[in-house]
Amino acid sequence: MKISDIIENFIVETMGDDNSVELSRNELAEYFSCAPSQINYVLSTRFTLEKGYVIDSRRGGGGYIKIQKVNSDNVLQDIIVNAIGKELSLQRAHHITDRLLNEKVINDREAEIIKCMVADHTMMVPKNILDAIRASTMKQIVGILLKYS
């Protein structure tokens, strides 16, 4: 298991049922015997809005961070408004799809269909507009899910 996975699991376990946790970036780095940049990497890749988290960071005093799980009651609206934007990379599209799966909005089969639909090789559009077309496609998919939820 990689150190990033271990740090992520620790944060999730520390959060527990509270759906939020406040931690010191420096204390985490010291606890895991790693550089603070490793903590930043985990936060920026594992605790993103696409994955259902909001991070509030405070400078000074050891660099405290508050990680909060977004309320899943409005997960679809949250994704449309905050996560997709005008352009969407394949990686972010997969994160959004995984979030929909984790929130039980879609099942495994639907997740695979969505991932196939937004894949670079499936979309067959010029690279310069690929992320914009992918964003539009994901908004349509999530809009349909919202309509039938």
Side-chain angles (χ1 to χ4, degrees), residues 37 72 79 88 113 122 135 148:
S37 61
S72 65
I79 287 172
L88 187 66
I113 292 169
T122 304
Y148 288 99

Side-chain angles (χ1 to χ4, degrees), residues 30-49:
E30 188 176 311
Y31 180 80
F32 289 104
S33 300
C34 68
S37 61
Q38 182 70 42
I39 304 300
N40 290 341
Y41 171 79
V42 171
L43 295 174
S44 66
T45 60
R46 310 289 177 98
F47 294 93
T48 63
L49 184 58

Side-chain angles (χ1 to χ4, degrees), residues 22-133:
E22 191 168 314
L23 302 165
S24 166
R25 188 182 334 264
N26 290 343
E27 288 176 12
L28 278 175
E30 188 176 311
Y31 180 80
F32 289 104
S33 300
C34 68
S37 61
Q38 182 70 42
I39 304 300
N40 290 341
Y41 171 79
V42 171
L43 295 174
S44 66
T45 60
R46 310 289 177 98
F47 294 93
T48 63
L49 184 58
E50 293 90 2
K51 293 184 177 186
Y53 295 94
V54 174
I55 297 178
D56 184 25
S57 184
R58 289 188 289 150
R59 300 280 182 218
Y64 278 86
I65 48 169
K66 182 176 182 180
I67 304 166
Q68 188 169 4
K69 185 140 177 69
V70 175
N71 184 349
S72 65
D73 292 342
N74 297 317
V75 67
L76 296 173
Q77 289 174 328
D78 174 61
I79 287 172
I80 290 174
V81 172
N82 297 313
I84 296 178
K86 293 182 180 181
E87 293 187 349
L88 187 66
S89 69
L90 181 60
Q91 181 181 16
R92 286 186 58 222
H94 282 200
H95 289 314
I96 291 168
T97 304
D98 291 341
R99 180 176 176 200
L100 292 169
L101 182 61
N102 291 337
E103 298 282 347
K104 300 196 183 341
V105 175
I106 61 174
N107 60 36
D108 290 327
R109 178 177 176 231
E110 293 163 335
E112 289 301 315
I113 292 169
I114 292 170
K115 286 179 179 181
C116 180
M117 288 177 61
V118 298
D120 292 355
H121 66 278
T122 304
M123 300 198 79
M124 297 181 61
V125 296
K127 261 201 182 309
N128 63 328
I129 62 169
L130 180 61
D131 288 348
I133 300 295

